Amino acid sequence: MTTQQAHKEVPTQTLLGVRVSLLDMDGTVQEIDRMVAEGGTHTVVTADASGFAIAAEDSELRSVYESCDLATPDSQGVVWALRRKGAGTVRRVSGVDLMDRICRLSSERGHRLYFLGAAPGVAEMAAEKQRLRHPGCNIVGTRHGYFPADDDLVVAAEVAASKPDILFVAMGIPRQEKFITKTREVIGAKVAMGVGGSFDVFSGRTKRAPKLVIALKLEWLWRLILNPSKFEKVKMLPRFVSLVLREPR
Ligand code: UDP
């Protein structure tokens, strides 16, 4: 199994039962490149505070987090929690930034990418924009993410036909992680990764916060102002903080 090997090589800090990677962005991209070269199937989780809060209540999501091959600190809240436990130099590795770097990697190395998720037309638009941004980026398929869980295996067979090396699933937490766990053997992508709202960002449907707002670590507030439905997600922050404060250092 690849799971144990990957975790041995990657420096991690355990947070709420999950071994979160302490690699920086370059190290994370290299690790994903290594997983592709290694073959087999790997699951990458981009874990934010809401994901940890949901996992505390949802045993299926928790087991995905606990058994994944790589969990990156997707949000500033997770970075805070890791630093509190002694991982002083850890930096945020967000799903949207990581996906962009993997598109660049694909343009250099030819890795076959598949974009699954978001509303009809959005994955196609995101793919179009990423091909222009990273000429040569090898996107072999796209599909929207609005289908019932009963059709997961039908969609998986459709994705598998494109033989992707790396599958990005943008259907929100925990739906995307559950889809990946259920279908990973059918699809056979060497790396499958949940990326939340990233296709909305790449397609231009959602604007990323200005650099200054990101530097001030207020991207979550920016998203909340632009999209008040994100309030459900922000409401989970106090739950995450209380879980972290109750965990022994
Ligand atoms: N989505 C989807 N299928 C669904 C529900 C949601 O493809 O059944 C998409 C939605 O259109 C959006 C993404 O999943 O593009 C979720 O984005 P969000 O920013 O809410 O993700 P999260 O906050 O969980 O990272």
Side-chain angles (χ1 to χ4, degrees), residues 156-178:
E158 196 183 304
V159 175
S162 301
K163 300 195 185 332
D165 295 313
I166 302 177
L167 168 66
F168 297 109
V169 186
M171 301 198 298
I173 303 169
R175 172 84 175 99
Q176 59 198 20
E177 284 75 19
K178 292 182 183 181

Side-chain angles (χ1 to χ4, degrees), residues 145-160:
Y146 285 83
F147 53 90
D150 282 352
D151 290 344
D152 281 358
L153 292 174
V154 177
V155 172
E158 196 183 304
V159 175

